[in-house]
Amino acid sequence: MFGSVSSPPPRQWGACWLACDLWSQLQLDQFWEERLPPSREGTEWKLILETLVCYALIDPGSEWRLHRQWFEQSAMGDLLGGDFALAEKDSLYRCLDKLLKHKQALFGHLRQRWADLFGAPFNVLLYDLTSTYFESDPPDPEEGSKKRWLQPGQAFGLRASGHRPDRHARGVSPGL
């Protein structure tokens, strides 16, 4: 009777929903609306950015990992009304390139949202920049390189926590 019943692998829903709600509470959808319009080809930059931000909040890692693994295990596509195009690796990197020119406006927006939401007066707002992360394929040992700094599938990064037991990554905790 139940031999033909199957269930898909579980996907992360609650954390994705909460991250999307935080995005909305910070009014980032409104902030990015005019700054990241869809491309002529239909690339939804604003939704790709929301996916990147939610991923960074929920399970930080590289864009490559988001593309290869995380997106399919999350409910981001369902929550944003999109498909795997939101996690296409080249689009992820191109989206990040589009952000730099909006850096000051974003900081101003976030500072104002912080003040509006919490009524917090402040002169200085500090934020953490220590979570830089990337992945790389190791050199081919047959091409003359005897040193193998990373094994296939491993990553190297800077993380504030210094270690993550769920990753095969090497971590460094810089002090500022």
Side-chain angles (χ1 to χ4, degrees):
M1 177 174 157
F2 292 106
S4 63
V5 175
S6 65
S7 65
R11 293 180 303 144
Q12 187 174 51
W13 183 271
C16 295
W17 178 85
L18 188 60
C20 288
D21 189 57
L22 177 61
W23 176 272
S24 179
Q25 291 292 322
L26 292 174
Q27 298 176 353
L28 290 169
D29 46 351
Q30 296 168 18
F31 176 82
W32 290 111
E33 185 72 35
E34 63 186 45
R35 291 172 176 87
L36 290 178
S39 72
R40 286 177 283 175
E41 296 82 22
T43 303
E44 292 285 345
W45 297 115
K46 185 177 75 163
L47 297 180
I48 292 171
L49 179 57
E50 186 171 355
T51 300
L52 281 161
V53 169
C54 291
Y55 170 63
L57 287 171
I58 297 167
D59 191 14
S62 69
E63 287 76 15
W64 178 248
R65 185 172 157 270
L66 187 160
H67 164 75
R68 295 278 299 194
Q69 179 185 10
W70 186 82
F71 187 82
E72 289 184 351
Q73 296 174 353
S74 77
M76 290 305 296
D78 293 329
L79 290 167
L80 298 178
D83 58 16
F84 192 72
L86 297 177
E88 199 278 319
K89 66 179 174 69
D90 292 332
S91 294
L92 295 171
Y93 293 111
R94 287 197 326 253
C95 184
L96 293 173
D97 291 339
K98 295 178 176 295
L99 304 180
L100 187 57
K101 63 184 173 185
H102 304 292
K103 180 179 174 181
Q104 290 304 317
L106 176 62
F107 288 165
H109 174 80
L110 292 174
R111 182 188 180 283
Q112 187 60 50
R113 288 303 299 146
W114 179 268
D116 292 346
L117 289 170
F118 303 108
F122 50 85
N123 293 325
V124 177
L125 179 62
L126 303 175
Y127 53 93
D128 183 7
L129 295 175
T130 59
S131 296
T132 302
Y133 185 89
F134 64 91
E135 292 179 359
S136 173
D137 289 329
D140 186 358
E142 295 182 15
E143 291 182 10
S145 174
K146 297 296 180 192
K147 287 186 177 180
R148 294 198 58 153
W149 294 95
L150 301 174
Q151 298 300 317
Q154 284 188 320
F156 177 81
L158 301 175
R159 286 189 293 277
S161 64
H163 72 283
R164 294 279 304 261
D166 60 326
R167 302 278 185 274
H168 299 290
R170 304 180 195 277
V172 178
S173 294
L176 298 177

